[in-house]
Amino acid sequence: QLGQQRLARRTAAALAEAEAFFRRAIELDPKFARAHSGLASSLILLTVYTDVQLAPTLDKAQQSVDTALQLDPGLSDAWAAAGLIAGGREHYADAEKLLRRAFELDPNNSKALMWLAQQLNITSRLDEAVTTVRQAADLDPLSAIIQVNLGSMLEDTGDFAEAATRYRRAI
């Protein structure tokens, strides 16, 4: 749980702490699939929020995801992390497929929906992306990062008033 809490903060320091918590959990229980999945997510997010290099990190994250899925093939968060990795490799169709699988496994996985919305946005499907990130915001209305993503996508549609509302909600 501590690792997940740190992931939600989206700061360089919090993400480094998340990585350390997940690594410690794996030391304590190498068969803890959620720790492997969390490690993968923290590694990928570190490339977004810090100067950690993407290419070498994707391989490390993939190893963690592969382990998580071997331990628990039904773990939604592992499928979502796999989707992030595919997106990081610019394999957008694969990323979308993996993120949709994550959501099928857990219809309450707001992170998977947010990341799916990002992939849809990258592939110029803005209307579908906004609908998807709205669904994520409905599932987790207190998530600042989901509110920020929704605000950003609303800006792209020209809905500046609602975007500002979402940004204020994130704050």
Side-chain angles (χ1 to χ4, degrees), residues 1 9 12 26-27 29 31 33 41 51-52 55-57 63 68-69 78-79 98 103-104 122 126 133 144 155 157 171:
Q1 286 294 50
R9 290 186 187 165
I26 291 166
E27 284 175 23
D29 182 359
K31 293 184 179 182
S41 294
D51 61 354
V52 171
T57 303
Q63 290 172 357
L69 289 172
W79 288 96
L98 293 163
F103 185 65
E104 287 171 11
I122 288 169
L126 182 56
V133 77
E155 272 190 80
T157 69
I171 292 168

Side-chain angles (χ1 to χ4, degrees):
Q1 286 294 50
L2 291 174
Q4 291 298 331
Q5 290 171 348
R6 297 312 189 275
L7 282 178
R9 290 186 187 165
R10 296 295 202 280
T11 66
L15 291 169
E17 288 176 357
E19 178 187 1
F21 282 129
F22 290 125
R23 288 190 186 282
R24 179 66 179 140
I26 291 166
E27 284 175 23
L28 294 171
D29 182 359
K31 293 184 179 182
F32 186 28
R34 287 188 184 281
H36 289 280
S37 175
L39 176 59
S41 294
S42 64
L43 290 171
I44 297 162
L45 290 172
L46 278 165
T47 70
V48 175
Y49 292 91
T50 70
D51 61 354
V52 171
Q53 297 299 304
L54 180 63
T57 303
L58 289 175
D59 292 334
K60 294 175 193 172
Q62 186 67 58
Q63 290 172 357
S64 293
V65 164
D66 290 345
T67 301
L69 289 172
Q70 286 172 354
L71 294 168
D72 184 353
L75 183 58
S76 175
D77 283 346
W79 288 96
L84 278 182
I85 293 166
R89 292 189 167 131
E90 299 181 1
H91 299 155
Y92 301 124
D94 290 339
E96 181 179 343
K97 180 179 160 187
L98 293 163
L99 289 161
R100 287 190 187 281
R101 177 70 178 137
F103 185 65
E104 287 171 11
L105 289 167
D106 179 3
N108 292 312
N109 191 334
S110 59
K111 289 183 303 188
L113 277 178
M114 179 188 67
W115 292 336
L116 174 59
Q118 291 172 340
Q119 295 304 311
L120 295 168
N121 194 24
I122 288 169
T123 57
S124 301
R125 294 156 61 194
L126 182 56
D127 290 341
E128 191 178 353
V130 170
T131 299
T132 303
V133 77
R134 278 187 193 282
Q135 187 178 1
D138 289 344
L139 285 172
D140 189 356
L142 300 179
S143 170
I145 193 63
I146 291 174
Q147 295 296 330
V148 167
N149 273 270
L150 179 51
S152 176
M153 290 180 202
L154 288 166
E155 272 190 80
D156 292 344
T157 69
D159 189 347
F160 302 111
E162 188 180 353
T165 298
R166 296 300 176 155
Y167 290 138
R168 281 191 294 278
R169 195 172 290 173
I171 292 168

